[in-house]
Every structure is written in C-alpha cells, then in structure tokens.
C-alpha cells in the first residue's frame, strides 16, 4: 500500500433532516471544490446524530440516504470522493474504544462545545457518556483514515485540535518499536544514496540546530519518495522529528471561509431557528418565503426611503448579487426609487437559478434509488478497506494480538 496520507480530506455531516442553503453555501460548495485537489472521504455521521437524537432517532434513518442524494445533486462526485455511512464501518467504533483508554477525562470536559451545546439544547438531556465522548468519536473518524486535512467551520476547530493531541499521545505511547533506530536506518538506505544523504543532513540540522527549514526539506523529501512503504515513511517522519514512529498522523484544520448565509429572518440560516430554505424547496415556496421577508422597518410605504444596512434581506444580496448591482440597489433603496418587491426579485431569480439544476438532479436520483445505494455500497467498501488497514496496526501496537 502506498497512500499519500497528507493528501487525504475527511469530513462528515449529521443526518438530522433535509439539507438547506446554509449547508450548501457553508459546507457543500467547499467539499465540491476540494474534490479537485484532494482524495476526499465524505460520510454520513449517523452515530454522531445519535449523540443528540437518541430519544427519537427516526429522523436519522429517514434522512441518511436523502442527505447523500442532496450531496450528489449538489455536485459531490463519487468518481472523486468516497461517500459512505459511518455506522457501516465498525472500525470507527473500535478505534473510539481504544482511544478512550488513553484519553484523559479533562481533555473531553474542556472541549468548548460540550458545555455550549448543553446550554443551547436545553430541551435534551446531554449529560450522557456518548455526548461527552463525541469529540473523541470524531477523532476516531479522522484518524482511522489517517486524514491529513479536515474542512471545518469555526465551531469544529477545537475538535481537530483534540484529535491532534490524541494522535500525539498515541504515537508517544505506541510509536516506540524496540528496534526503531535500526528500522529507520534500514529505511534510509532504501531511499538511494543521494536522498539518504539529503535526509540525514536535514535530520541533523533540525535536531542539532532546530532548523525548521530543514524539517520542511526532510518532509518534502519523504513526500517525493515513491519507493518506500507507508510504515517506513511514518518511521522516517518520526525519526526526522526526533520521536518514535508516527502511527496516527496529526490532521490539520482547513478552515472554511464561506460568506455568512443568512436565513429568511436575517439570522444565520439554521434548522433550530426555523428560517431555512431547503435544497428541495419548491420554487413557489422559495418565492413566497423571500417575498414575505421583513425589510428595513422604515420603509412602511413604497415612497419611504430605507437603508440596506438595516434590512435583513441585504445579507442575501451579499451572497447572490454582484457588487455593481448592489450599488444600484443601495441607491434605489435610499432614494425610494425602487420598491422592496423589485429588490427582492434579484434574490428570487438567483436562488431559483441555483436550485433548478440541483432539484433536477435530486429527482433523477430519487428515480434511481438503487443507483444511489450502489454508490454508497462502493464507498463503504473502499472506506472499510482503508479503516481495516489502520485498525490492524492499532490493535498490534496496543497488545491485541489475540486474533
Ligand atoms: N461533528 C461534525 C458536526 O457535527 C460532524 C463530524 C463527525 C465530522 N465526524 C467528523 C466532521 C469528522 C469532520 C470530520 O458537524
Ligand atoms: Fe431591503 Fe431592498 Fe427594501 Fe431596501 S429596497 S429595504 S434593501 S428589500
């Protein structure tokens, strides 16, 4: 096996209802973009959904396949990305259990979302073992695929940080093979004369002088090396940095810089605010929702001037309208030369243009559910292969040789 671990992206989404434009602009468009430059793994996080929806899980079963359909319709391409369902890959759960052995309780209690979400979702009892451990389950999701990058919003950065700390702790405990140095030296020889020398040079400069440039050179050298196995690569990376062998590599956050997608009340679009427009929203309903949106309260009559800065609709113009149109509309609003109905029409048109091809593809997939299931099955099979490779290694270093 020779995977390029640093090039792998992993992300998951909870199946808790139909996707809306907030998901599309905040997450999906980014996923679709990433497919061009990374090996992507996108999964339905159904176990994660259970951490908050355990009392009434019906929505999870109902929305899992529909969510995949929405991904596909939006442009996630199964030729570029592996699409799968978390609960069909039991290795996530096994790794979660194994990682739980080395996870200090304080690390989990410190994750900001633990207390925040308990505060926010007051109608649910989230003082559960599963909810406390959910960031660790996320760490297992990431580490089981040795993902290099995790696209996340601001609220999830702390989870990737936890994952890095867990990986470091794991490697510290289990990355020390008794014959580590000999194996590393043997791996160096496999790189050929010239590269061996460059690697040793870079290692010495980093370890003796803390030269971080040399560290980068060493890493680049390993990246470019075609003829060494993954475990040798991990050994050499650990040897370069001065630790043991790296079994679970530390992932990095890819912070998604999407513009804020407002809902139909001007707040962030979110199911819990009841202000969403679904990807499958019928055109008449899109039109009605936008037309009934509140505007600048100063514009009581058509002849009253207004100010876009005080209008909940304006956030949508930032997503859908060009800079020059926005200038004209600002002028028109402030002088009352346009009405709110005219102003909103730009958004209605742009939104319907965006949704039309997506909804067309949704219908195609709904008429071919067995095709969708094959995509999911193939994704699960591939994900399972990768996950099994990792769990075998983990079992071995944690003393579980009984099978
Ligand atoms: N926790 C994420 C959310 O609630 C979903 C998720 C689960 C995830 N596992 C992941 C995201 C791994 C990125 C990587 O949105
Ligand atoms: Fe809002 Fe446009 Fe009406 Fe001005 S004209 S208040 S920006 S909807």
């Amino acid at each position: 096996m020779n995977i390029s671990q640093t090039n792998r992206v992993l992300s998951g989404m909870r199946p808790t209802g139909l996707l809306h434009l907030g998901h599309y602009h905040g997450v999906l468009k980014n996923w679709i973009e990433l497919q061009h430059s990374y090996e992507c793994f996108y999964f339905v996080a159904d176990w994660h959904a259970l951490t908050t929806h355990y009392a009434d899980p019906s929505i999870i079963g109902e929305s899992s396949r529909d969510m995949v359909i929405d991904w596909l319709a939006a442009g996630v391409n199964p030729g570029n990305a592996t699409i799968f369902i978390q609960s069909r890959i039991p290795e996530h759960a096994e790794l979660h259990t194994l990682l739980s052995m080395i996870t200090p309780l304080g690390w989990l209690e410190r994750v900001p979302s633990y207390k925040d979400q308990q505060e926010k979702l007051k109608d649910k009892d989230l003082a559960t073992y599963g909810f406390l451990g959910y960031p660790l389950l996320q760490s297992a999701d990431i580490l089981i695929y040795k993902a290099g990058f995790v696209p996340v919003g601001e609220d999830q950065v702390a989870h990737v940080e936890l994952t890095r700390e867990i990986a470091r702790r794991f490697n510290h405990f289990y990355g020390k093979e008794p014959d580590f140095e000999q194996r590393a030296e043997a791996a160096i020889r496999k790189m050929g004369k010239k590269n061996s020398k460059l690697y040793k040079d870079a290692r010495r400069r980093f370890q003796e002088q803390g030269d971080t440039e040399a560290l980068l050179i060493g890493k680049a050298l390993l990246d470019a090396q075609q003829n060494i196995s993954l475990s040798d690569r991990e050994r050499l990376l650990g040897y370069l940095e001065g630790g043991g062998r790296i079994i679970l590599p530390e992932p990095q956050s890819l912070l998604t810089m999407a513009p804020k997608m407002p809902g139909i009340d001007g707040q962030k679009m979110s199911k819990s605010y009841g202000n969403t427009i679904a990807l499958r929203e019928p055109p008449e309903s899109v039109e009605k929702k936008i037309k009934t949106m509140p505007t600048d309260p100063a514009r009581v009559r058509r002849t009253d001037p207004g100010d876009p800065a005080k209008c909940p609709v304006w956030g949508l113009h930032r997503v859908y309208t060009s800079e020059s149109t926005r200038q004209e509309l600002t002028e028109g609003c402030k002088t009352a030369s346009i009405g709110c109905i005219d102003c909103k029409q730009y958004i209605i048109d742009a939104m319907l243009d965006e949704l039309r091809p997506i909804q067309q593809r949704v219908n195609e997939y709904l008429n071919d559910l067995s095709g969708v299931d094959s995509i999911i099955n193939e994704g699960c099979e591939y994900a399972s292969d990768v996950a099994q490779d990792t769990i075998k290694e983990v079992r071995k270093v944690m003393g579980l040789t009984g099978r």
Side-chain angles (χ1 to χ4, degrees):
M1 187 179 62
N2 194 358
I3 54 163
S4 165
Q5 54 183 127
T6 52
N7 192 37
R8 191 172 279 165
V9 156
L10 175 111
S11 196
M13 223 189 266
R14 298 159 170 247
T16 53
L18 283 176
L19 294 192
H20 52 66
L21 284 172
H23 297 115
Y24 180 66
H25 286 275
V27 183
L28 276 177
K29 275 169 83 173
N30 186 235
W31 280 16
I32 291 159
E33 196 57 40
L34 290 169
Q35 299 180 119
H36 303 300
S37 355
Y38 297 91
E39 185 197 2
C40 295
F41 283 67
Y42 298 137
F43 72 98
V44 177
D46 51 358
W47 278 332
H48 285 271
L50 272 179
T51 63
T52 47
H53 287 62
Y54 59 88
D56 179 15
S58 53
I59 185 87
I60 298 174
E62 282 161 24
S63 42
S64 287
R65 182 162 67 187
D66 274 317
M67 195 166 79
V68 172
I69 290 177
D70 286 355
W71 293 353
L72 294 168
V76 174
N77 180 350
N80 289 331
T82 300
I83 297 172
F84 65 99
I85 295 180
Q86 183 185 31
S87 65
R88 287 183 47 188
I89 317 293
E91 287 78 9
H92 291 230
E94 185 174 347
L95 185 59
H96 178 212
T97 300
L98 294 176
L99 293 178
S100 78
M101 308 302 170
I102 66 162
T103 304
L105 262 185
W107 289 18
L108 294 175
E109 288 162 346
R110 257 204 329 259
V111 174
S113 61
Y114 180 57
K115 290 227 164 62
D116 291 356
Q117 294 291 97
Q118 281 186 337
E119 284 289 304
K120 236 173 98 187
L121 308 175
K122 272 243 161 65
D123 54 320
K124 292 187 170 128
D125 178 3
L126 295 181
T128 58
Y129 179 47
F131 189 70
L132 175 66
Y134 128 73
L136 187 65
L137 178 58
Q138 184 164 351
S139 299
D141 298 335
I142 297 167
L143 296 173
I144 195 84
Y145 301 104
K146 302 188 177 184
F149 300 96
V150 183
V152 285
E154 205 102 50
D155 58 321
Q156 298 273 313
V157 173
H159 296 172
V160 179
E161 197 46 49
L162 174 76
T163 307
R164 294 166 59 83
E165 283 168 9
I166 298 284
R168 220 171 293 146
R169 191 166 160 89
F170 184 95
N171 294 326
H172 172 70
F173 285 141
Y174 310 113
K176 298 214 164 32
E177 302 163 297
D179 49 355
F180 177 68
E181 299 217 341
Q182 287 96 303
R183 282 170 180 253
E185 288 293 337
I188 292 177
R189 287 193 291 276
K190 289 183 202 156
M191 292 205 292
K193 211 168 178 180
K194 180 158 154 265
N195 286 337
S196 292
K197 185 174 174 317
L198 288 173
Y199 172 90
K200 283 188 187 163
D201 241 36
R203 176 170 181 266
R204 190 181 39 75
R205 271 168 47 212
F206 176 61
Q207 293 196 7
E208 286 179 11
Q209 294 142 36
D211 183 345
T212 49
E213 184 103 351
L215 179 64
L216 292 179
I217 292 172
K219 283 183 173 173
L221 207 60
L222 292 177
D223 264 348
Q225 200 72 29
Q226 300 290 326
N227 57 330
I228 51 176
S229 69
L230 179 65
S231 35
D232 271 345
R233 188 190 305 275
E234 285 158 351
R235 233 166 244 130
L236 289 174
L237 198 55
Y239 199 50
L240 180 68
E241 291 179 338
R245 180 180 153 212
I246 290 173
I247 299 165
L248 299 177
E250 292 177 36
Q252 275 173 40
S253 291
L254 278 182
L255 199 58
T256 313
M257 285 301 173
K260 187 166 145 269
M261 180 66 190
I264 56 172
D265 56 359
Q267 295 189 78
K268 179 182 155 88
M269 188 180 285
S270 156
K271 203 177 75 171
S272 50
Y273 298 145
N275 63 359
T276 61
I277 293 180
L279 282 184
R280 301 186 188 187
E281 196 86 35
E284 316 78 66
S285 171
V286 172
E287 197 165 342
K288 185 159 163 234
K289 282 187 172 177
I290 302 295
K291 281 192 169 155
T292 52
M293 271 183 80
T295 60
D296 178 355
R299 297 207 72 181
V300 182
R301 277 171 300 259
R302 164 71 175 75
T303 47
D304 295 329
D307 180 359
K310 296 181 182 141
C311 176
V313 174
W314 200 248
L316 288 172
H317 275 298
R318 283 189 209 286
V319 177
Y320 285 103
T321 322
S322 70
E323 176 80 46
S324 61
T325 308
R326 282 209 300 276
Q327 262 170 24
E328 282 168 36
L329 293 175
T330 302
E331 177 70 20
C333 177
K334 289 186 166 170
T335 59
S337 66
I338 57 158
C340 291
I341 298 284
D342 315 315
C343 181
K344 287 173 168 181
Q345 194 59 43
Y346 286 87
I347 293 168
I348 295 172
D349 291 343
M351 228 179 231
L352 292 179
D353 285 346
E354 177 177 81
L355 290 176
R356 200 172 299 113
I358 295 177
Q359 296 187 351
Q360 203 172 351
R361 285 193 294 267
V362 166
N363 286 328
E364 286 165 19
Y365 285 114
L366 285 173
N367 285 319
D368 178 24
L369 291 179
S370 63
V372 175
D373 288 339
S374 310
I375 290 172
I376 296 174
N377 290 340
E378 276 174 35
C380 287
E381 249 170 67
Y382 183 61
S384 173
D385 285 348
V386 177
Q388 282 184 39
D389 283 341
T390 306
I391 204 74
K392 278 183 194 151
E393 254 183 297
V394 170
R395 283 181 196 141
K396 198 161 108 197
V397 298
M398 288 185 82
L400 306 171
T401 49
R403 51 173 79 219

